[in-house]
């Protein structure tokens, strides 16, 4: 087992959390911050650039003005979205809801988690006509302005989520979360073709660079990453991480961010399951991360960078900031960052050894073992082919021998048939001779009888005449 080896990949629980100490999960893509703190920092950084022009009174801009500008910009965008969604800058108050709105809220309260079909039925009902029309208007607007920078589109989608969630402000948080997951799936399934791998960003180039990087590291073995399972398992029963590899590859086929996150969660759960089967000890964070790096290297998922950015930009914030899905996605981001910065010391290799592996001048022991197994399999195949050829020759010889035996038996049967016919003729001839002899004997007996009969008649007549005389 490799559990006793020194771990080269170590990430503590504190390192996964946001640098701002807000309690949510951070992400290397956001420089260690969570999505909420990262957006706040980005908006704070944009404000000085927008107010960089000198003021009329000659006084330099202060931080309070930057904050004020940031809040005004944020409020303006949210109010714009609310006016698009509700027709007013503020959401409807719960106490002022009409009877149809009460029925609508009651219908949403009875919605089961994960019942997307039921959500669509409620949204198409007459009480939800306003919600449906606002969703349609938002989708049509996003499609009409699909040339906007992807970050602007991300802000619009996130503001739409917030505006929609305000309608259910009286609901429990868990129920609002389930409803918003349906909203995200509805919206992003429609917008996927417009915002995924957008032309305004360099996601496609980064996808190609990441794929080339992973392809160049295909020589890395589980032992180099200290993945805690023995090498014998890999050769005897197959790779235990194959289900996880399949799950992470499926992420590119999904369109909704939550469905992509579900693939990441499924992949991570399969990793934990493989670790529990192949290791007697409970899996820890180091084992999980090193195994996840191995899975990503072996899978080389298509458009991995674009898929992760798509989830970050258009997914629900709570899905990435907390919970199981947030933890798994953060670890996947750490795994990708580790692969991008991977060097010899992180694999317990010298710089010369690492360079030799990258240039194909060296091969790891496990790779040599696979080559040896392949050579043995090739030799065994050649032996089996030779045995098959000899067997085919034996079958051909046996077929020829069987054919000769059949011909010999047929010839013998023909001879026996001819002899039987000859014997039948002899028997018939003998029977004819015997019958002729019998007929001759009968004719002689009849002739003797014919000769004796006249004499008897004469004697009878003579006796009769004698009696008359008397």
């Amino acid at each position: 087992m490799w559990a006793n080896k020194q771990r080269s990949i170590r990430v503590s629980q504190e390192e996964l959390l946001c640098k701002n100490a807000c309690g949510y999960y951070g992400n290397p893509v956001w420089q260690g911050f969570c999505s909420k703190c990262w957006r706040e920092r980005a908006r704070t950084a944009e404000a000085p650039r927008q107010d960089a022009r000198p003021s009329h009174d000659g006084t330099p801009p202060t931080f309070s003005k930057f904050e004020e500008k940031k809040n005004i910009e944020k409020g303006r965008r949210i109010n714009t979205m609310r006016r698009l969604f509700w027709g007013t800058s503020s959401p409807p108050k719960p106490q002022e809801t009409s009877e149809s709105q009460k029925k609508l809220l009651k219908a949403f309260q009875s919605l089961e988690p994960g019942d997307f079909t039921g959500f669509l039925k409620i949204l198409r009902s007459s009480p939800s006509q306003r919600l449906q029309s606002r969703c349609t208007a938002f989708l049509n607007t996003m499609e009409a302005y699909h040339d906007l920078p992807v970050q602007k589109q991300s802000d619009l989608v996130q503001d739409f989520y917030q505006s929609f969630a305000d309608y259910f402000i009286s609901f429990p948080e868990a129920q609002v979360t389930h409803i918003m997951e349906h909203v995200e799936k509805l919206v992003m399934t429609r917008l996927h073709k417009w915002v995924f791998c957008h032309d305004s960003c360099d996601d496609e180039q980064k996808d190609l660079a990441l794929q080339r990087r992973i392809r160049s590291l295909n020589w890395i073995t589980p032992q180099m990453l200290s993945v805690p399972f023995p090498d014998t398992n890999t050769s005897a029963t197959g790779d235990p991480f194959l289900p996880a590899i399949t799950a992470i590859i499926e992420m590119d086929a999904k369109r909704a961010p939550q469905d992509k996150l579900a693939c990441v969660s499924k992949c991570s759960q399969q990793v934990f399951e493989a670790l529990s089967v192949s290791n007697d000890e409970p899996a820890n964070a180091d084992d999980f991360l090193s195994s996840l790096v191995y899975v990503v290297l072996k899978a080389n998922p298509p458009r991995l960078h674009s898929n992760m950015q798509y989830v970050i930009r258009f997914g629900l914030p709570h899905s990435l900031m907390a919970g199981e899905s947030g933890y798994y996605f953060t670890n996947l981001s750490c795994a990708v960052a580790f692969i991008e910065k991977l060097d010899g010391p992180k694999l317990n290799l010298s710089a010369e050894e690492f360079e030799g592996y990258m240039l194909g001048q060296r091969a790891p022991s496990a790779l040599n073992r696979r080559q040896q197994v392949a050579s043995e399999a090739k030799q065994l195949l050649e032996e089996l082919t030779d045995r098959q050829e000899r067997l085919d020759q034996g079958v051909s010889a046996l077929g020829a021998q069987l054919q000769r035996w059949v011909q010999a038996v047929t010839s013998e049967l023909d001879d026996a048939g001819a002899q039987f016919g000859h014997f039948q003729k002899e028997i018939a001839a003998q029977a004819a001779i015997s019958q002729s002899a019998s007929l001759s004997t009968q004719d002689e007996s009849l002739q003797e009888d014919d000769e004796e009969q006249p004499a008897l008649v004469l004697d009878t007549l003579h006796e009769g005449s004698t009696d008359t005389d008397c």
Side-chain angles (χ1 to χ4, degrees), residues 414-425:
D414 293 340
D415 294 341
Q419 292 178 4
F420 181 73
H422 180 68
F423 290 153
Q424 281 185 330
K425 291 179 180 180

Side-chain angles (χ1 to χ4, degrees), residues 395-410:
V395 169
S396 300
L398 180 61
Q401 184 179 358
L402 181 61
Q403 187 175 3
R404 290 194 298 270
W405 178 80
V406 170
Q407 292 175 353
V409 171
T410 303

Side-chain angles (χ1 to χ4, degrees), residues 123-152:
L123 194 62
R124 291 168 183 166
S125 61
S126 55
S128 303
Q129 185 176 2
R130 187 174 184 181
L131 285 176
Q132 184 181 5
S133 62
R134 299 307 179 189
C135 288
T136 303
F138 173 73
L139 292 173
N140 293 336
T141 303
M142 290 294 296
E143 291 181 5
Y145 293 95
H146 64 272
D147 291 332
L148 287 174
V150 67
Q151 191 57 46
K152 291 290 185 182

Side-chain angles (χ1 to χ4, degrees), residues 350-405:
S350 64
E352 293 78 11
E353 290 176 331
F354 184 81
E355 189 68 20
Y357 285 128
M358 293 295 290
L359 296 176
Q361 299 172 354
R362 299 171 63 94
S365 57
L367 183 59
N368 291 334
R369 174 58 184 164
R370 289 196 294 269
Q371 292 175 349
Q372 181 181 358
V373 171
S375 177
E376 293 175 355
K378 183 179 179 181
Q379 182 179 359
L380 179 60
L381 181 60
E382 292 176 353
E383 293 178 359
L384 291 175
T385 303
D386 185 59
R387 289 176 59 183
Q388 182 66 34
E389 291 177 355
R390 293 198 302 269
L391 181 61
D392 292 339
Q393 293 175 359
V395 169
S396 300
L398 180 61
Q401 184 179 358
L402 181 61
Q403 187 175 3
R404 290 194 298 270
W405 178 80

Side-chain angles (χ1 to χ4, degrees), residues 175-300:
Q175 197 166 8
V176 176
T177 299
H178 295 318
I179 295 174
M180 293 309 301
E181 287 176 353
H182 295 314
V183 173
E184 179 213 84
K185 189 169 185 177
L186 172 65
V187 171
M188 296 315 303
T189 301
R190 175 88 172 266
L191 297 180
H192 177 269
K193 64 179 179 180
W194 299 110
V195 299
F196 182 81
C197 199
H198 198 266
D199 295 337
S200 63
C201 58
D202 57 352
D203 289 347
E204 185 175 359
Q205 289 76 13
K206 291 184 178 180
D207 283 331
L208 296 175
L210 182 58
Q211 282 193 333
R212 286 193 296 267
R213 174 66 173 174
I214 294 176
R215 196 179 299 116
S216 67
L217 298 172
N218 61 356
W219 48 268
I220 294 180
T221 63
Q223 293 74 27
M224 292 180 178
L225 295 170
S226 301
V227 177
F229 69 92
D231 185 59
T232 53
N233 281 359
T234 304
S235 58
T237 60
D239 196 335
F241 295 103
L242 184 59
I245 293 172
T246 304
I248 196 66
I249 291 176
E250 291 176 350
M251 180 172 61
D252 187 58
K254 308 299 182 181
R255 291 194 288 180
Q258 61 178 285
D259 293 337
K260 294 181 182 293
L261 274 178
C263 292
V264 176
S265 299
K266 181 180 178 181
C267 169
S268 302
Q269 292 165 0
Q270 292 291 344
V271 169
F272 276 113
E273 184 175 348
L275 291 175
S276 64
V277 171
S278 58
N279 195 1
D280 297 334
E281 302 176 359
N284 52 41
D286 296 334
D287 294 339
F288 170 66
L289 185 56
S290 62
S291 302
L292 189 59
V293 171
Y294 170 75
V295 167
V296 173
L297 288 174
K298 291 303 175 183
N300 197 0

